[in-house]
Amino acid sequence: MGGRFANVNNNGIVLPEADYLAAYGMTNDGPDTTPPTVVSVTRLDPSPTNAASVRFLVTFSEAVSGQDVSNFHVEASGMTGASITQMSNCPGATCTITVGVGSGSGTLRLDVWDDDTIKDAANIPLGGIGIGNGDFTSGELYDVQHYELYLPFILK
Ligand SMILES: [Ca+2]
Ligand SMILES: [Ca+2]
């Protein structure tokens, strides 16, 4: 590709191609054809923890919209009652998910479940078209320790 361009919208000024594309808010790469993906799920709070709730940061490869609570799943091991209590700073390239940790001690992980409702600005769904191909299940764990719950029994 190459060449120089004149356009009625820039008063007939001749521009090199790259400048022309930049002037009209485009890039040389053409339209976005790359599906968004989940890059990481990381802890925003300390671990181990005995807090009643913890936050996860979900990072996408580009800005997306359409995240809803059904896209996120708390994988709890050794605990009961853990659930998502808040979503914040979505949509965008990140999303903060607050999880109520429930009771017991164990580990908590936040998974992303792809149902093609999360899409980038070009309307391409997470992982491409297809439910489940954008799943992310390998995020950071919280180590939840609620040993204080057992203390009264130990003291008896
Ligand atoms: Ca894209
Ligand atoms: Ca998908």
Coordinates of all heavy atoms in Angstrom, one line a residue, residues 43-118:
R43 N -5.6 -10.9 42.4 CA -6.1 -10.4 43.7 C -5.9 -8.9 43.8 O -4.8 -8.4 43.4 CB -5.3 -11.1 44.8 CG -5.6 -12.6 44.9 CD -4.9 -13.2 46.2 NE -3.4 -13.0 46.1 CZ -2.6 -13.9 45.7 NH1 -3.0 -15.1 45.4 NH2 -1.3 -13.7 45.6
L44 N -6.8 -8.2 44.4 CA -6.6 -6.8 44.7 C -6.4 -6.6 46.2 O -6.2 -5.5 46.7 CB -7.9 -6.0 44.3 CG -7.9 -5.6 42.8 CD1 -9.3 -4.9 42.5 CD2 -6.8 -4.8 42.3
D45 N -6.7 -7.7 47.0 CA -6.5 -7.6 48.4 C -5.5 -8.6 48.9 O -5.2 -9.6 48.2 CB -7.9 -7.9 49.1 CG -8.9 -6.8 48.8 OD1 -8.6 -5.6 49.0 OD2 -10.0 -7.1 48.2
P46 N -5.0 -8.5 50.2 CA -4.0 -9.4 50.7 C -4.5 -10.8 50.8 O -5.7 -11.1 51.0 CB -3.7 -8.9 52.1 CG -4.2 -7.4 52.1 CD -5.3 -7.4 51.1
S47 N -3.6 -11.8 50.7 CA -3.9 -13.2 50.9 C -2.7 -13.8 51.6 O -1.6 -13.5 51.2 CB -4.2 -13.9 49.6 OG -4.4 -15.3 49.8
P48 N -2.9 -14.6 52.6 CA -4.1 -15.1 53.2 C -4.9 -13.9 53.8 O -4.4 -12.9 54.1 CB -3.6 -16.0 54.4 CG -2.2 -16.3 54.1 CD -1.7 -15.1 53.3
T49 N -6.2 -14.2 54.0 CA -7.1 -13.2 54.5 C -8.2 -13.8 55.4 O -8.5 -15.0 55.3 CB -7.9 -12.5 53.3 OG1 -8.7 -11.5 53.8 CG2 -8.7 -13.5 52.5
N50 N -8.7 -13.0 56.3 CA -9.9 -13.4 57.1 C -11.0 -12.4 56.9 O -11.9 -12.3 57.7 CB -9.6 -13.6 58.6 CG -9.1 -12.4 59.3 OD1 -9.0 -11.3 58.7 ND2 -8.8 -12.5 60.6
A51 N -10.9 -11.6 55.8 CA -11.9 -10.6 55.6 C -13.2 -11.2 55.2 O -13.2 -12.3 54.7 CB -11.4 -9.6 54.4
A52 N -14.3 -10.4 55.3 CA -15.6 -10.9 54.9 C -15.8 -10.9 53.4 O -16.6 -11.6 52.9 CB -16.7 -10.1 55.6
S53 N -15.0 -10.0 52.7 CA -15.1 -9.9 51.3 C -13.7 -9.6 50.7 O -12.9 -9.0 51.4 CB -16.1 -8.9 50.8 OG -15.7 -7.6 51.2
V54 N -13.5 -10.0 49.5 CA -12.3 -9.8 48.8 C -12.6 -9.4 47.3 O -13.7 -9.6 46.8 CB -11.4 -11.1 48.7 CG1 -10.9 -11.4 50.1 CG2 -12.1 -12.2 48.1
R55 N -11.6 -8.7 46.7 CA -11.9 -8.2 45.4 C -10.9 -8.9 44.4 O -9.7 -9.0 44.7 CB -11.7 -6.7 45.3 CG -12.7 -5.9 46.2 CD -12.3 -4.5 46.3 NE -10.9 -4.4 46.9 CZ -10.1 -3.4 46.7 NH1 -10.4 -2.3 46.0 NH2 -8.9 -3.4 47.3
F56 N -11.4 -9.2 43.2 CA -10.6 -9.7 42.1 C -10.6 -8.6 41.0 O -11.7 -8.0 40.7 CB -11.2 -10.9 41.5 CG -11.1 -12.1 42.4 CD1 -12.1 -12.5 43.3 CD2 -10.0 -13.0 42.4 CE1 -12.0 -13.6 44.1 CE2 -9.9 -14.1 43.2 CZ -10.9 -14.4 44.1
L57 N -9.5 -8.5 40.3 CA -9.4 -7.6 39.1 C -9.3 -8.5 37.9 O -8.4 -9.3 37.7 CB -8.2 -6.7 39.2 CG -8.0 -5.8 38.0 CD1 -9.1 -4.7 38.0 CD2 -6.7 -5.1 37.9
V58 N -10.3 -8.4 37.0 CA -10.4 -9.1 35.7 C -9.8 -8.2 34.6 O -10.4 -7.1 34.5 CB -11.8 -9.6 35.4 CG1 -11.8 -10.4 34.1 CG2 -12.4 -10.5 36.5
T59 N -8.8 -8.6 33.9 CA -8.2 -7.8 32.9 C -8.4 -8.5 31.5 O -8.1 -9.6 31.3 CB -6.7 -7.6 33.1 OG1 -6.5 -7.0 34.4 CG2 -6.1 -6.7 32.1
F60 N -9.0 -7.7 30.6 CA -9.2 -8.2 29.3 C -8.1 -7.6 28.3 O -7.4 -6.7 28.6 CB -10.6 -7.7 28.8 CG -11.7 -8.2 29.6 CD1 -12.2 -7.5 30.7 CD2 -12.3 -9.4 29.3 CE1 -13.3 -8.0 31.5 CE2 -13.4 -9.9 30.0 CZ -13.8 -9.2 31.1
S61 N -8.0 -8.2 27.2 CA -7.0 -7.8 26.2 C -7.3 -6.5 25.5 O -6.4 -5.8 24.9 CB -6.8 -8.9 25.1 OG -8.1 -9.1 24.4
E62 N -8.5 -6.0 25.7 CA -9.0 -4.7 25.1 C -10.3 -4.4 25.8 O -10.8 -5.2 26.5 CB -9.2 -4.8 23.6 CG -10.2 -5.9 23.2 CD -10.3 -6.0 21.7 OE1 -10.4 -5.0 21.0 OE2 -10.3 -7.2 21.2
A63 N -10.7 -3.2 25.6 CA -12.0 -2.7 26.2 C -13.1 -3.6 25.7 O -13.3 -3.8 24.5 CB -12.2 -1.2 25.9
V64 N -14.0 -4.0 26.7 CA -15.1 -4.8 26.3 C -16.3 -4.2 27.1 O -16.2 -3.5 28.1 CB -15.0 -6.3 26.7 CG1 -13.9 -6.9 25.8 CG2 -14.6 -6.5 28.1
S65 N -17.5 -4.7 26.6 CA -18.7 -4.3 27.4 C -19.6 -5.6 27.4 O -19.3 -6.6 26.7 CB -19.5 -3.2 26.7 OG -19.8 -3.5 25.4
G66 N -20.7 -5.5 28.2 CA -21.6 -6.6 28.3 C -21.3 -7.6 29.4 O -22.0 -8.6 29.6
Q67 N -20.3 -7.3 30.3 CA -20.1 -8.1 31.4 C -21.3 -8.1 32.4 O -21.7 -7.0 32.7 CB -18.8 -7.6 32.2 CG -17.5 -7.6 31.4 CD -17.2 -6.1 31.0 OE1 -18.1 -5.4 30.6 NE2 -16.0 -5.7 31.2
D68 N -21.8 -9.2 32.7 CA -22.8 -9.3 33.8 C -22.4 -10.4 34.7 O -21.5 -11.2 34.5 CB -24.2 -9.4 33.2 CG -24.4 -10.7 32.4 OD1 -24.2 -11.7 33.0 OD2 -24.8 -10.6 31.3
V69 N -23.2 -10.5 35.8 CA -22.8 -11.3 36.9 C -22.8 -12.8 36.5 O -22.0 -13.6 37.0 CB -23.7 -11.1 38.1 CG1 -25.1 -11.7 37.9 CG2 -23.1 -11.7 39.4
S70 N -23.6 -13.2 35.4 CA -23.6 -14.6 35.0 C -22.3 -14.9 34.3 O -22.0 -16.1 34.1 CB -24.7 -14.8 34.0 OG -24.6 -14.1 32.8
N71 N -21.4 -14.0 34.0 CA -20.1 -14.3 33.3 C -19.1 -14.6 34.3 O -18.0 -15.0 34.0 CB -19.6 -13.1 32.5 CG -20.5 -12.8 31.3 OD1 -21.1 -11.7 31.2 ND2 -20.7 -13.7 30.5
F72 N -19.4 -14.5 35.6 CA -18.4 -14.7 36.7 C -18.8 -15.7 37.6 O -20.0 -15.8 38.0 CB -18.1 -13.4 37.4 CG -17.6 -12.3 36.4 CD1 -18.4 -11.3 36.0 CD2 -16.3 -12.3 36.0 CE1 -18.0 -10.3 35.1 CE2 -15.8 -11.3 35.1 CZ -16.7 -10.3 34.6
H73 N -17.9 -16.6 38.0 CA -18.3 -17.7 38.9 C -17.2 -17.8 40.0 O -16.0 -17.9 39.7 CB -18.3 -19.0 38.1 CG -18.5 -20.2 38.9 ND1 -19.6 -20.6 39.5 CD2 -17.6 -21.2 39.2 CE1 -19.4 -21.7 40.2 NE2 -18.2 -22.1 40.0
V74 N -17.7 -17.9 41.2 CA -16.7 -18.1 42.3 C -16.5 -19.6 42.5 O -17.4 -20.4 42.8 CB -17.3 -17.5 43.6 CG1 -16.3 -17.7 44.8 CG2 -17.6 -16.0 43.4
E75 N -15.3 -20.0 42.4 CA -14.9 -21.4 42.6 C -14.3 -21.5 44.0 O -13.2 -21.0 44.3 CB -13.9 -21.8 41.5 CG -13.5 -23.3 41.6 CD -14.6 -24.2 41.2 OE1 -15.5 -23.8 40.4 OE2 -14.7 -25.3 41.7
A76 N -15.1 -22.1 44.9 CA -14.6 -22.1 46.3 C -14.3 -23.6 46.7 O -15.0 -24.5 46.3 CB -15.8 -21.6 47.2
S77 N -13.2 -23.7 47.4 CA -12.8 -25.0 47.8 C -12.7 -25.0 49.3 O -12.0 -24.2 49.9 CB -11.4 -25.4 47.2 OG -11.0 -26.6 47.8
G78 N -13.5 -25.8 50.0 CA -13.5 -25.9 51.5 C -14.3 -24.9 52.1 O -14.3 -24.7 53.4
M79 N -15.1 -24.2 51.4 CA -15.9 -23.1 51.9 C -17.4 -23.2 51.4 O -17.6 -23.8 50.4 CB -15.3 -21.7 51.5 CG -13.9 -21.7 51.8 SD -13.2 -20.1 51.3 CE -14.2 -19.0 52.4
T80 N -18.3 -22.5 52.1 CA -19.7 -22.5 51.6 C -20.2 -21.1 51.7 O -19.8 -20.3 52.5 CB -20.6 -23.4 52.5 OG1 -20.5 -22.9 53.9 CG2 -20.2 -24.8 52.4
G81 N -21.1 -20.8 50.7 CA -21.7 -19.5 50.7 C -21.0 -18.3 50.0 O -21.5 -17.2 50.1
A82 N -19.9 -18.6 49.4 CA -19.2 -17.6 48.7 C -20.0 -17.1 47.5 O -20.5 -17.9 46.7 CB -17.8 -18.0 48.2
S83 N -20.1 -15.8 47.3 CA -20.9 -15.3 46.1 C -20.4 -13.9 45.7 O -19.8 -13.2 46.5 CB -22.4 -15.3 46.5 OG -22.6 -14.3 47.5
I84 N -20.7 -13.5 44.5 CA -20.4 -12.2 44.0 C -21.3 -11.2 44.6 O -22.6 -11.4 44.5 CB -20.4 -12.2 42.5 CG1 -19.3 -13.1 41.9 CG2 -20.3 -10.8 41.9 CD1 -19.5 -13.4 40.4
T85 N -20.8 -10.2 45.2 CA -21.7 -9.2 45.8 C -21.7 -7.8 45.1 O -22.5 -7.0 45.3 CB -21.2 -8.9 47.3 OG1 -19.9 -8.5 47.3 CG2 -21.4 -10.2 48.1
Q86 N -20.6 -7.6 44.3 CA -20.6 -6.3 43.5 C -19.7 -6.4 42.3 O -18.7 -7.1 42.3 CB -20.0 -5.2 44.5 CG -20.1 -3.8 43.9 CD -19.5 -2.8 44.8 OE1 -19.1 -3.1 45.9 NE2 -19.6 -1.5 44.4
M87 N -20.1 -5.7 41.3 CA -19.2 -5.5 40.1 C -19.0 -4.0 39.9 O -20.0 -3.3 40.0 CB -19.9 -6.0 38.8 CG -20.2 -7.5 38.8 SD -21.2 -8.0 37.3 CE -20.1 -7.4 36.0
S88 N -17.8 -3.6 39.7 CA -17.5 -2.2 39.5 C -16.5 -1.9 38.5 O -15.7 -2.8 38.1 CB -17.1 -1.6 40.9 OG -16.0 -2.3 41.4
N89 N -16.5 -0.7 37.9 CA -15.6 -0.3 36.9 C -15.7 -1.1 35.6 O -14.7 -1.3 34.9 CB -14.1 -0.3 37.4 CG -14.0 0.7 38.6 OD1 -14.6 1.7 38.6 ND2 -13.2 0.3 39.5
C90 N -16.9 -1.7 35.4 CA -17.1 -2.4 34.1 C -18.2 -1.5 33.4 O -19.0 -0.9 34.1 CB -17.7 -3.8 34.3 SG -17.2 -4.7 35.7
P91 N -18.3 -1.4 32.1 CA -17.4 -2.1 31.1 C -16.0 -1.3 31.0 O -15.8 -0.3 31.6 CB -18.2 -2.0 29.8 CG -19.0 -0.8 30.0 CD -19.3 -0.7 31.5
G92 N -15.2 -1.9 30.2 CA -13.8 -1.4 30.0 C -12.9 -2.5 29.8 O -13.3 -3.7 29.6
A93 N -11.6 -2.2 29.9 CA -10.6 -3.3 29.8 C -10.3 -4.0 31.0 O -9.6 -5.0 31.1 CB -9.3 -2.7 29.3
T94 N -10.9 -3.5 32.1 CA -10.8 -4.3 33.4 C -12.2 -4.3 34.1 O -13.1 -3.5 33.7 CB -9.8 -3.7 34.4 OG1 -10.2 -2.3 34.7 CG2 -8.4 -3.7 33.8
C95 N -12.4 -5.1 35.0 CA -13.6 -5.2 35.8 C -13.3 -5.7 37.2 O -12.5 -6.6 37.3 CB -14.5 -6.2 35.1 SG -16.2 -6.2 35.6
T96 N -13.8 -5.0 38.2 CA -13.5 -5.4 39.6 C -14.7 -6.1 40.1 O -15.8 -5.6 40.1 CB -13.2 -4.1 40.4 OG1 -12.1 -3.4 39.9 CG2 -12.9 -4.5 41.9
I97 N -14.4 -7.3 40.6 CA -15.5 -8.2 41.2 C -15.3 -8.4 42.7 O -14.2 -8.8 43.1 CB -15.5 -9.6 40.5 CG1 -15.5 -9.4 39.0 CG2 -16.6 -10.4 41.0 CD1 -16.8 -8.9 38.4
T98 N -16.3 -8.0 43.5 CA -16.2 -8.2 44.9 C -16.9 -9.5 45.3 O -18.1 -9.7 44.8 CB -16.8 -7.0 45.7 OG1 -16.1 -5.8 45.2 CG2 -16.6 -7.2 47.2
V99 N -16.3 -10.3 46.1 CA -16.9 -11.6 46.5 C -17.0 -11.7 48.0 O -16.0 -11.4 48.7 CB -15.9 -12.7 46.0 CG1 -16.4 -14.1 46.5 CG2 -15.9 -12.8 44.5
G100 N -18.2 -12.0 48.4 CA -18.4 -12.3 49.8 C -17.9 -13.7 50.1 O -18.3 -14.6 49.3
V101 N -17.0 -13.9 51.0 CA -16.3 -15.2 51.1 C -17.1 -16.3 51.8 O -16.7 -17.4 51.7 CB -14.9 -15.0 51.8 CG1 -14.1 -14.0 51.1 CG2 -15.1 -14.6 53.3
G102 N -18.2 -16.0 52.4 CA -19.0 -17.0 53.0 C -18.3 -17.5 54.3 O -17.6 -16.8 55.0
S103 N -18.5 -18.8 54.6 CA -18.0 -19.3 55.9 C -17.0 -20.5 55.6 O -17.1 -21.1 54.5 CB -19.1 -19.8 56.8 OG -19.9 -20.7 56.1
G104 N -16.2 -20.8 56.6 CA -15.3 -21.8 56.4 C -13.9 -21.3 56.0 O -13.8 -20.1 55.8
S105 N -13.0 -22.2 55.8 CA -11.6 -21.8 55.4 C -11.3 -22.6 54.2 O -11.7 -23.8 54.0 CB -10.6 -22.0 56.5 OG -10.8 -21.1 57.6
G106 N -10.5 -22.0 53.3 CA -10.2 -22.7 52.0 C -9.7 -21.7 51.0 O -9.1 -20.7 51.3
T107 N -9.9 -22.0 49.7 CA -9.4 -21.1 48.7 C -10.6 -20.7 47.8 O -11.6 -21.4 47.7 CB -8.4 -21.8 47.8 OG1 -9.0 -23.0 47.2 CG2 -7.1 -22.2 48.5
L108 N -10.4 -19.5 47.3 CA -11.4 -18.8 46.4 C -10.7 -18.5 45.1 O -9.6 -17.9 45.1 CB -12.0 -17.6 47.0 CG -13.0 -17.6 48.1 CD1 -13.4 -16.2 48.5 CD2 -14.2 -18.5 47.7
R109 N -11.4 -18.8 44.0 CA -10.9 -18.3 42.7 C -12.1 -17.8 41.9 O -13.2 -18.2 42.1 CB -10.3 -19.5 41.9 CG -9.6 -19.2 40.7 CD -9.1 -20.5 40.0 NE -10.2 -21.2 39.3 CZ -10.3 -22.5 39.2 NH1 -9.4 -23.3 39.6 NH2 -11.4 -23.0 38.6
L110 N -11.8 -16.8 41.1 CA -12.9 -16.2 40.3 C -12.7 -16.6 38.8 O -11.6 -16.4 38.3 CB -12.9 -14.7 40.4 CG -14.1 -14.1 39.6 CD1 -15.4 -14.2 40.4 CD2 -13.8 -12.6 39.3
D111 N -13.7 -17.3 38.3 CA -13.6 -17.8 36.9 C -14.4 -16.9 36.0 O -15.4 -16.3 36.5 CB -14.0 -19.2 36.8 CG -13.1 -20.2 37.4 OD1 -12.0 -19.8 37.8 OD2 -13.5 -21.4 37.6
V112 N -14.0 -16.8 34.8 CA -14.8 -16.1 33.8 C -15.5 -17.1 32.8 O -14.8 -17.9 32.3 CB -14.0 -15.1 33.0 CG1 -14.9 -14.3 32.0 CG2 -13.3 -14.1 33.9
W113 N -16.8 -17.0 32.7 CA -17.5 -17.9 31.9 C -18.0 -17.2 30.6 O -18.7 -16.2 30.7 CB -18.7 -18.5 32.6 CG -18.3 -19.6 33.6 CD1 -17.1 -20.1 33.9 CD2 -19.2 -20.3 34.5 NE1 -17.1 -21.0 34.9 CE2 -18.4 -21.1 35.3 CE3 -20.6 -20.2 34.7 CZ2 -19.0 -22.0 36.3 CZ3 -21.2 -21.1 35.7 CH2 -20.3 -21.9 36.5
D114 N -17.6 -17.6 29.5 CA -17.9 -17.0 28.2 C -19.2 -17.5 27.7 O -19.4 -18.7 27.4 CB -16.7 -17.3 27.2 CG -17.1 -16.9 25.8 OD1 -17.8 -15.9 25.6 OD2 -16.7 -17.7 24.9
D115 N -20.2 -16.5 27.5 CA -21.4 -16.9 26.9 C -21.7 -16.0 25.7 O -22.8 -15.8 25.2 CB -22.6 -16.9 27.9 CG -22.8 -15.5 28.4 OD1 -22.1 -14.6 28.1 OD2 -23.8 -15.4 29.3
D116 N -20.6 -15.4 25.2 CA -20.7 -14.5 24.0 C -21.5 -13.2 24.2 O -21.8 -12.5 23.3 CB -21.2 -15.2 22.8 CG -20.2 -16.1 22.1 OD1 -19.0 -16.1 22.5 OD2 -20.5 -16.7 21.0
T117 N -21.7 -12.9 25.5 CA -22.3 -11.6 25.8 C -21.3 -10.5 26.0 O -21.6 -9.3 25.8 CB -23.2 -11.6 27.0 OG1 -22.4 -11.9 28.2 CG2 -24.4 -12.6 26.9
I118 N -20.1 -10.9 26.3 CA -19.0 -9.9 26.4 C -18.4 -9.7 25.1 O -18.0 -10.6 24.4 CB -17.9 -10.4 27.4 CG1 -18.5 -10.6 28.8 CG2 -16.7 -9.4 27.5 CD1 -17.5 -11.2 29.8

